[in-house]
Amino acid sequence: MSAHEQELHLGHQFEDLKQQIESYTIGMWIFLVTEVMFFGGLFTAYIIYRAKFPEGWVHGHHHLDWRLGGLNTLILLTSSLTMALAVRAAMLNKWKPQVLFLVCTVLLAFGFMIVKYFEYSKKFREHIVPGPLFAHKDDPGQELFMGLYFALTGLHGFHVLIGILVISAITIRTINMRRMRQDFIPVELVGLYWHFVDIVWIFLYPLLYLISK
Amino acid sequence: MTNLHDEEHSDVVHAASVGSYLANYFALLGLLIITVAVARVDLGILNMYAAMLIAMVKTVLVVLFFMHLGKAGRLSRIWALTGIFFFLIMIGLNLTDYSSRHMDATSSPTQPQRGGEQPPAE
């Protein structure tokens, strides 16, 4: 373990490795706070309009398949597990399991996006995308619900795409660059990001797919 | 404050055991099943509170055991709480505003003016 840390590069602006790692982690958490506020605006809109159009929410959520949403929750939770195991492998300086777990995470993320693709295309076919072609024009609450559905899951899906890009880049660099294998910080930080994306979905799933009645 | 240079670096990396990650994962899966099961029972308004409570428990599990916030530094923890704090301020102030304006769906500007939907004149 101690041999591992001596190989870690210590930036000249830091006192020691502990401070360096803590500084990176704090920076990531600050970024995650801005992300909470970013999604928070949409969640606030969701709460206010759900209070205003309760029937629209109940009608709107019938367009969503709770089984597909549950499958995606399962996929994201599993990808969080593989991500956590990748971070663990990186900390223990085992770069091969690290690459394996990162590849698993990216594959699961693609699985999530594929399920989303089928969900989205079904809604476009059935004209329940907000806009002039919306099939239930007499129910503004329902259109608003679908609008928030696409805004929330779209922004979340965009975060998944960014996650795929960053995790893939780190995986390729870990394979190609020996120097990257000593530094677990990039994996640790993208891990924090990935778990945050998972948490957003943990809230989106019951809020969008599991409305009773 | 002790001198950090004198400390062993073993607390710099904090890799938990594979078993603890798996246990956390299965706990999350269990909570997912509970969420779906509870949603299929009609509890009225309690459904949403139950779903949000379960989601918060899942969040705590992810934050503590996958993001290991408990082992992160004190400043990281303060920032995480800051996120929750300002999120609650945003929701709280907005709800205070909207709930005191007495707007309901019938007074919504999107409701009445829909061209060509007037009842035909007899």
Side-chain angles (χ1 to χ4, degrees), chain B residues 36-118:
Chain B
V36 176
V38 167
R40 304 194 74 71
V41 185
D42 185 15
L43 302 170
I45 189 69
L46 282 178
N47 272 114
M48 196 172 73
Y49 292 126
M52 287 300 96
L53 186 70
I54 297 169
M56 282 174 206
V57 174
K58 283 164 94 176
T59 302
V60 169
L61 288 181
V62 171
V63 166
L64 284 187
F65 298 108
F66 280 167
M67 302 166 92
H68 33 76
L69 185 63
K71 288 174 187 161
R74 199 177 297 156
L75 269 175
S76 299
R77 273 176 277 167
I78 290 174
W79 273 104
L81 290 175
T82 305
I84 299 170
F85 181 66
F86 279 95
F87 180 58
L88 291 179
I89 285 184
M90 175 163 67
I91 288 191
L93 283 183
N94 271 301
L95 285 184
T96 313
D97 186 35
Y98 274 85
S99 60
S100 59
R101 281 174 192 253
H102 306 295
M103 293 194 300
D104 54 45
T106 50
S107 70
S108 161
T110 53
Q111 198 80 339
Q113 293 96 14
R114 289 212 169 268
E117 282 185 0
Q118 283 92 355

Side-chain angles (χ1 to χ4, degrees), chain A residues 5 15-16 18 21-22 26 29-30 33 40-41 48 50 66 74 78 88 140 184 188 192 195 203 212, chain B residues 4-5 9 11-13 16 18 25 29 36 40 47-48 59 67-69 73 75-76 79 87 90 98 111:
Chain A
E5 275 127 26
E15 287 273 315
D16 53 15
K18 191 179 162 75
I21 292 169
E22 207 180 329
I26 290 167
W29 277 101
I30 295 174
V33 170
I48 288 167
R50 182 172 180 174
W66 66 270
L74 178 66
T78 312
R88 179 181 185 275
F184 71 92
E188 157 101 349
L192 288 180
H195 297 312
F203 280 95
S212 48
Chain B
L4 291 172
H5 291 286
H9 275 316
D11 63 331
V12 170
V13 288
V18 176
Y25 173 65
L29 288 193
V36 176
R40 304 194 74 71
N47 272 114
M48 196 172 73
T59 302
M67 302 166 92
H68 33 76
L69 185 63
L75 269 175
S76 299
W79 273 104
F87 180 58
M90 175 163 67
Y98 274 85
Q111 198 80 339

Side-chain angles (χ1 to χ4, degrees), chain A residues 4-76:
Chain A
H4 164 221
E5 275 127 26
Q6 272 150 25
E7 292 168 50
L8 251 174
H9 175 71
L10 177 64
H12 61 82
Q13 70 271 39
F14 295 111
E15 287 273 315
D16 53 15
L17 276 177
K18 191 179 162 75
Q19 192 200 23
Q20 173 171 326
I21 292 169
E22 207 180 329
S23 305
Y24 287 141
T25 313
I26 290 167
M28 197 64 200
W29 277 101
I30 295 174
F31 168 68
L32 292 185
V33 170
T34 69
E35 289 274 76
V36 167
M37 299 309 282
F38 190 19
F39 279 98
L42 282 169
F43 277 111
T44 310
Y46 175 97
I47 295 170
I48 288 167
Y49 286 115
R50 182 172 180 174
K52 200 169 175 181
F53 299 102
E55 297 89 8
W57 253 237
V58 173
H59 296 152
H61 104 283
H62 288 307
H63 300 304
L64 310 179
D65 190 343
W66 66 270
R67 285 174 236 105
L68 288 179
L71 173 64
N72 259 350
T73 315
L74 178 66
I75 289 175
L76 271 196

Side-chain angles (χ1 to χ4, degrees), chain A residues 82-209:
Chain A
T82 58
M83 189 75 229
L85 291 174
V87 173
R88 179 181 185 275
M91 281 175 169
L92 300 177
N93 219 7
K94 296 175 181 164
W95 72 274
K96 279 176 184 167
Q98 178 198 332
V99 166
L100 178 74
F101 284 126
L102 287 177
V103 169
C104 288
T105 310
V106 169
L107 289 178
L108 287 163
F110 271 114
F112 178 89
M113 294 309 282
I114 289 168
V115 174
K116 269 266 70 87
Y117 164 77
F118 282 112
E119 287 191 272
Y120 271 22
S121 53
K122 181 167 179 280
K123 283 165 196 69
F124 275 93
R125 271 200 312 274
E126 294 176 356
H127 292 297
I128 40 179
V129 181
L133 292 176
F134 193 71
H136 308 277
K137 269 295 177 195
D138 52 326
D139 191 354
Q142 196 173 331
E143 191 168 5
L144 202 52
F145 173 81
M146 290 314 295
L148 277 168
Y149 164 80
F150 277 104
L152 279 161
T153 59
L155 187 64
H156 178 266
F158 181 68
H159 277 77
V160 173
L161 279 181
I162 298 283
I164 289 176
L165 283 177
V166 177
I167 297 170
S168 304
I170 288 176
T171 310
I172 291 165
R173 281 163 67 94
T174 307
I175 295 169
N176 289 338
M177 296 166 68
R178 201 170 288 272
R179 194 168 52 79
M180 279 290 290
R181 292 175 198 168
Q182 263 95 52
D183 194 0
F184 71 92
I185 282 291
V187 192
E188 157 101 349
L189 297 188
V190 80
L192 288 180
Y193 171 83
W194 193 252
H195 297 312
F196 168 79
V197 173
D198 187 21
I199 289 172
V200 172
W201 186 261
I202 284 174
F203 280 95
L204 286 185
Y205 177 52
L207 285 177
L208 295 172
Y209 292 80

